[in-house]
Amino acid sequence: MLLNGNGLDIFYVDESVRTPLFIATAVRVPFIRPYKAGWEIVWPDFQDAAEKWRHALSKKYQIRFREELHAYKILKHEGLYHKTGRNLSPPEARDLMIGALHGIGEVLPPASIVTAYATADSQFAGSK
């Protein structure tokens, strides 16, 4: 099988339902790239960079490292994300979200995150 000359990417897709919204986000991660006369698996480099990014968030914003971050919980000051087991204050939550979004931009290639949403009244191609 021949690969496109640019390589191959994988996608992580996650969805969230918070009535009345359905939100889906896809994150594109490089997997295989051309290298010399063949191909190189680059996924581990991005995984390492993502782990460093997450560790840096944990240290800078004093949040638990292993906890899955949910934006809706952070912005609603829920989830007990702080290392001391409390919710983040409004300024802490804002700073974390801004820092996380800026930082992930240093880990992933441009245009790697796509988010779409729908409501109960949304229509696409004749379907609700």
Side-chain angles (χ1 to χ4, degrees):
M1 178 175 116
L2 295 177
L3 290 178
N4 177 311
N6 296 325
L8 181 70
D9 296 335
I10 57 174
F11 287 82
Y12 169 77
V13 180
D14 197 8
E15 78 286 336
S16 179
V17 178
R18 299 286 172 264
T19 303
L21 296 177
F22 173 86
I23 302 167
T25 298
V27 179
R28 177 179 61 93
V29 181
F31 184 71
I32 299 174
R33 290 293 181 262
Y35 181 73
K36 296 183 181 177
W39 296 94
E40 176 183 27
I41 296 175
V42 296
W43 161 256
D45 299 333
F46 287 92
Q47 182 179 10
D48 290 345
E51 287 178 8
K52 288 177 184 171
W53 163 77
R54 188 60 177 82
H55 273 290
L57 282 181
S58 178
K59 185 175 181 179
K60 182 173 183 177
Y61 299 103
Q62 295 299 300
I63 59 172
R64 294 180 287 154
F65 174 71
R66 300 261 177 230
E67 191 70 24
E68 181 179 357
L69 300 178
H70 294 277
Y72 79 94
K73 283 185 178 180
I74 294 168
L75 296 174
K76 286 176 66 178
H77 319 294
E78 296 175 352
L80 305 174
Y81 286 112
H82 197 274
K83 285 183 177 180
T84 63
R86 66 173 173 80
N87 290 319
L88 300 176
S89 69
E92 289 171 328
R94 179 201 61 230
D95 292 347
L96 170 60
M97 291 302 298
I98 291 169
L101 292 171
H102 281 292
I104 199 67
E106 297 172 9
V107 173
L108 295 170
S112 290
I113 301 174
V114 177
T115 299
Y117 75 93
T119 68
D121 296 326
S122 297
Q123 290 189 13
F124 178 74
S127 298
K128 268 191 166 184

